Amino acid sequence: MSIKRKFLEISKVGIEFPTPNGPFCALKDVDFSINEGEFVSIIGHSGCGKSTVLNIIAGLYQATSGGVILDGKEVDEPGPDRAVVFQSHALMPWLTVYENVALGVEQVFKGQKSKSEIKDWVEHNLRLVKMDHAMDKKPSEISGGMKQRVGIARCLAMQPKVMLMDEPFGALDALTRANLQDSVMQIQKELNTTVILITHDVDEAVLMSDKIIMMANGPAAKVGEILDINLDRPRERVALSKSDQFNHYRQQVLSFLYERKGVVDIEDEKRKRTIDEADALETDKIA
Amino acid sequence: MSTNSNSSSSFQHGSSEQLAGRVMKVISTFDFKSVVFPVIGVIVFCLLWSLAASRIDTSLGQFPGPAQVLSQSQTLLDEHFAEREKEQGFYDRQEVRNAKKLAKNPDAEIKIRKYTGKETFFDQVITSLKTVLFGFLVASLFAIPFGIACGLSDGVYKAMNPLIQIFKPVSPLAWLPLITMVVSATYSSESPWFEKSFLVSAFTVALCCLWPTLINTAVGVANVDKDLLNVSRVIKLPTSVHIRRIILPASIPMIFTGLRLSLATGWMVLIAAEMLSQNPGLGKFVWDEFQNGSSNSLSRIMVAVVVIGLIGFALDRVILLLQKTVSWDKQAVLR
Ligand SMILES: Nc1ncnc2c1ncn2[C@@H]1O[C@H](COP(=O)(O)OP(=O)(O)OP(=O)(O)O)[C@@H](O)[C@H]1O
Ligand SMILES: [Mg+2]
């Protein structure tokens, strides 16, 4: 369609994990692309391979087939241009909030920023997530929501080309979650960051995204459908919940997850597999 | 009843009540269980000990009870100070003699001889302590870096594992003759920093201190939280920073568990090594007393046994204290 290259391209990505019972094909032919500054959610049932996709984009996992191209360069190792916000916040418990953010900043801007610039930059990012008041606290001394904010600050402070978030709000209560969602939307709009957010919360996906990538169930999972969300920003959750358009999108995601390809007919899948295996045996015999 | 007197009396009443309350609070916060129970345990043990001791007759007399051990430790202390006085006297006399010589003839050659008295019990304690700490330090200096390497790299681990598995179960006492021969063959200098016997004992200790620290460090490093490692990979921390800021803090508890095990086994092995090789230290003291076979020998050995135990306990506490100061997790329950 467009001649212009996409900012982030995931093409025909597949991955097989070695297991005791032979290789397990988690993803097969996962294909999608993302524009710069876009907010994209990946939604799907538990175990369908959302985290695996994210880890491949992050470079933490190596795809068995296919590849990821970010800004014209192939991704083959982890790097700060694809910073990750982990579900388990993953803050170093022995470092203070400030030090946790500074750890990345010092490395990424080594030789570019002076000491005082680094300090200002870390503080700026903590202010962005409203955590500048707890800079000298240890992660054990702040709440779960606050930890997640620090994780986001650490990610933003590295100025990534894409921000990868793996269920960042999964472990939070509803109010804290709403609060953080608003913060992230606001920051994303301000900085025009490209974001990939993994979630299994339908409301969250519709509220926050420009595009929702719905994944079919595994094994050998692939992208089921891609839904563009054309809602004006800034989005306001209470107003939106009453809007027909919002509910329409919401319903489309729900129907994908629960009525269509989201739930693969397991019996069907099994039957197909046994037939495949039988075929394989046959060909073995012939060979 | 006037309000005035009432209020003043109630004030006095209140303050005495407050005082009582405060005393009660102090008493209730004072953890009886952690003080009284251990004391009870020790007292019961001593009673049983003296009962049992009075029934055991050996060829060296009755087995020592707590009372004999107490009196004998006093004797050992006295002996120590007597020996120190003797030493001081020796040096004083030597100085006077040399001064006289110089006064007679300023060009006279003066000799300063070292006092070569018998080593007291406390000298032996100090020797053993120095030996175990030196051996432990040397071992840790090797074990921690190798442990980190094993934990970080599967290849290094696979290369080292067979060696670890084979050498770990070998009693360091089996190495003792080899170490003795190697040290006497290779280590010789005019004014040695260390005595040969000291090095032999220390290396024997080091050999057994190596394994617990090495293994625990490797396990600790290999089990650092996956997410934290991923953070480090995303940030692209260079290896040195990665080890310093992620791996080391994360595996501090396991490293210290290893160190404590190491020091405990090192201390045990040292006593045995000293007995076997007749190198100076507590082990030699025990062996010498056994060979002496005087009526006091058993009590003196028993004093040594108690002191060995107390020192082992103290060493463990020292490492624990060190862990508390080094560890980032001040709330961690350490035992
Ligand atoms: N390292 C691995 N080794 C073997 N199998 C794996 C590995 N990582 C993931 N899998 C498998 O791949 C599939 C997808 O896992 P993944 O963690 O990506 O799911 P997910 O969609 O993120 O699920 P959730 O929503 O529960 O986080 C699962 O069936 C899982 O068992
Ligand atoms: Mg996941």
Side-chain angles (χ1 to χ4, degrees):
Chain A
M1 287 167 269
S2 68
I3 302 151
K4 192 178 158 251
R5 270 194 105 97
K6 293 282 188 174
F7 184 60
L8 174 67
E9 271 180 288
I10 288 91
S11 42
K12 300 235 171 300
V13 163
I15 191 166
E16 280 182 359
F17 291 113
T19 66
N21 315 323
F24 170 77
C25 176
L27 299 175
K28 203 176 170 194
D29 292 342
V30 172
D31 237 344
F32 61 93
S33 55
I34 291 170
N35 295 319
E36 192 163 6
E38 219 170 8
F39 197 119
V40 176
S41 291
I42 301 180
I43 199 166
H45 286 277
S46 181
C48 72
K50 305 181 294 292
S51 297
T52 310
V53 172
L54 196 90
N55 281 327
I56 290 172
I57 299 172
L60 294 167
Y61 286 175
Q62 213 67 47
T64 328
S65 61
V68 176
I69 294 171
L70 172 65
D71 207 6
K73 257 182 71 189
E74 176 153 18
V75 166
D76 52 3
E77 57 169 359
D81 57 340
R82 283 156 283 122
V84 184
V85 178
F86 294 88
Q87 175 170 8
S88 65
H89 63 78
L91 299 178
M92 314 293 158
W94 50 88
L95 300 180
T96 62
V97 163
Y98 176 89
E99 289 166 334
N100 262 293
V101 178
L103 185 69
V105 175
E106 278 162 12
Q107 187 57 36
V108 173
F109 298 103
K110 198 189 259 170
Q112 294 172 37
K113 280 193 198 309
S114 70
K115 267 213 170 104
S116 65
E117 280 172 329
I118 285 180
K119 185 164 177 289
D120 289 344
W121 179 244
V122 172
E123 287 174 358
H124 167 75
N125 279 283
L126 281 170
R127 222 170 295 127
L128 219 53
V129 295
K130 305 195 188 82
M131 281 304 296
D132 47 323
H133 60 91
M135 278 197 286
D136 298 319
K137 290 207 167 133
K138 291 272 171 70
S140 58
E141 297 165 329
I142 59 179
S143 72
M146 288 162 132
K147 281 181 205 157
Q148 213 46 273
R149 284 179 186 272
V150 178
I152 292 168
R154 173 172 65 187
C155 180
L156 287 171
M158 290 187 250
Q159 280 193 323
K161 288 180 180 162
V162 207
M163 186 161 157
L164 306 172
M165 307 176 93
D166 191 351
E167 296 186 39
F169 318 125
L172 305 176
D173 64 279
L175 288 176
T176 314
R177 174 191 286 234
N179 214 325
L180 261 179
Q181 286 168 348
D182 291 341
S183 288
V184 168
M185 275 197 288
Q186 194 196 337
I187 292 168
Q188 193 264 341
K189 190 158 170 287
E190 250 169 60
L191 306 178
N192 197 34
T193 330
T194 313
V195 178
I196 300 181
L197 171 84
I198 288 183
T199 179
H200 41 221
D201 179 339
V202 177
D203 287 358
E204 180 173 290
V206 178
L207 174 71
M208 299 184 77
S209 327
D210 300 315
K211 193 152 91 183
I212 300 180
I213 293 168
M214 297 181 265
M215 284 187 64
N217 274 6
K222 51 171 82 177
V223 174
E225 260 172 54
I226 297 179
L227 182 67
D228 285 310
I229 309 287
N230 295 309
L231 294 170
D232 293 336
R233 285 182 194 269
R235 297 178 184 170
E236 212 278 306
R237 68 182 61 244
V238 183
L240 274 181
S241 67
K242 292 175 200 144
S243 99
D244 289 339
Q245 213 181 351
F246 179 85
N247 282 317
H248 170 71
Y249 286 132
R250 199 171 163 273
Q251 216 194 325
Q252 272 189 296
V253 178
L254 282 173
S255 113
F256 170 85
L257 287 177
Y258 297 105
E259 286 167 8
R260 285 176 282 151
K261 302 171 200 99
V263 186
V264 172
D265 187 345
I266 293 169
E267 287 308 311
D268 206 42
E269 191 66 28
K270 265 189 194 158
R271 220 174 300 132
K272 236 192 327 195
R273 273 188 153 194
T274 45
I275 292 167
D276 281 350
E277 270 159 28
D279 278 356
L281 277 178
E282 292 271 330
T283 47
D284 273 357
K285 266 181 205 157
I286 293 161
Chain B
M1 216 199 288
S2 82
T3 36
N4 195 16
S5 77
N6 186 22
S7 74
S8 86
S9 85
S10 86
F11 173 73
Q12 276 176 1
H13 186 68
S15 74
S16 69
E17 211 165 60
Q18 262 175 5
L19 191 70
R22 232 178 262 159
V23 168
M24 283 312 289
K25 212 180 224 170
V26 168
I27 289 175
S28 66
T29 50
F30 182 75
D31 193 357
F32 267 105
K33 278 187 194 164
S34 69
V35 175
V36 174
F37 284 5
V39 170
I40 292 175
V42 170
I43 289 174
V44 169
F45 173 75
C46 284
L47 283 177
L48 290 177
W49 173 15
S50 57
L51 259 177
S54 62
R55 281 151 202 263
I56 303 175
D57 274 311
T58 71
S59 59
L60 290 178
Q62 208 177 50
F63 193 83
Q68 286 96 311
V69 168
L70 213 62
S71 75
Q72 203 49 240
S73 46
Q74 186 59 49
T75 316
L76 283 169
L77 209 61
D78 293 344
E79 277 174 16
H80 177 72
F81 288 121
E83 191 68 27
R84 275 296 118 83
E85 244 166 60
K86 254 188 181 167
E87 183 180 350
Q88 197 54 51
F90 173 84
Y91 283 124
D92 286 348
R93 279 199 303 282
Q94 178 170 283
E95 218 168 280
V96 171
R97 211 162 41 231
N98 286 336
K100 266 188 198 160
K101 241 188 206 169
L102 282 177
K104 245 192 228 165
N105 171 14
D107 302 327
E109 214 176 286
I110 54 164
K111 277 179 256 169
I112 295 177
R113 251 172 290 162
K114 250 190 108 171
Y115 179 71
T116 51
K118 188 169 145 269
E119 295 201 301
T120 68
F121 177 68
F122 294 93
D123 294 334
Q124 305 281 37
V125 170
I126 298 296
T127 309
S128 283
L129 263 178
K130 275 190 201 155
T131 316
V132 80
L133 287 179
F134 182 75
F136 170 72
L137 222 66
V138 168
S140 306
L141 244 44
F142 281 94
I144 295 176
F146 274 110
I148 291 175
C150 282
L152 283 180
S153 150
D154 214 32
V156 175
Y157 173 73
K158 287 201 169 111
M160 302 261 292
N161 197 36
L163 303 178
I164 295 173
Q165 298 304 334
I166 291 170
F167 286 123
K168 187 185 63 159
V170 177
S171 162
L173 298 180
W175 288 104
L176 191 59
L178 298 174
I179 295 175
T180 311
M181 297 318 289
V182 169
V183 167
S184 24
T186 55
Y187 184 76
S188 58
S189 61
E190 278 304 298
S191 53
W193 269 25
F194 306 112
E195 307 261 343
K196 273 181 187 172
S197 60
F198 173 81
L199 282 185
V200 170
S201 302
F203 285 149
T204 312
V205 170
L207 263 181
C208 67
C209 283
L210 219 48
W211 313 115
T213 306
L214 181 61
I215 293 168
N216 277 282
T217 304
V219 171
V221 170
N223 283 319
V224 177
D225 186 353
K226 255 266 159 46
D227 279 346
L228 299 188
L229 295 180
N230 281 341
V231 170
S232 170
R233 285 176 70 197
V234 167
I235 299 176
K236 278 193 169 165
L237 288 180
T239 313
S240 62
V241 182
H242 173 66
I243 291 175
R244 203 155 36 82
R245 304 212 56 187
I246 315 280
I247 296 297
L248 271 181
S251 40
I252 280 269
M254 281 302 271
I255 293 178
F256 271 92
T257 306
L259 289 177
R260 282 171 74 187
L261 284 172
S262 281
L263 193 50
T265 39
W267 181 238
M268 274 201 262
V269 164
L270 174 64
I271 306 299
E274 285 166 351
M275 286 176 84
L276 200 65
S277 65
Q278 291 294 292
N279 287 339
L282 270 170
K284 182 171 159 59
F285 173 86
V286 170
W287 191 249
D288 285 351
E289 286 302 330
F290 180 52
Q291 295 299 312
N292 268 354
S294 83
S295 59
N296 283 333
S297 284
L298 289 186
S299 329
R300 289 161 81 93
I301 292 174
M302 202 60 206
V303 174
V305 166
V306 173
V307 168
I308 290 170
L310 286 176
I311 290 177
F313 178 61
L315 287 175
D316 193 56
R317 290 288 119 169
V318 167
I319 300 276
L320 210 58
L321 213 68
L322 199 66
Q323 176 172 7
K324 267 189 191 146
T325 51
V326 172
S327 171
W328 47 272
D329 192 357
K330 303 293 179 207
Q331 271 97 40
V333 181
L334 301 176
R335 41 178 102 235

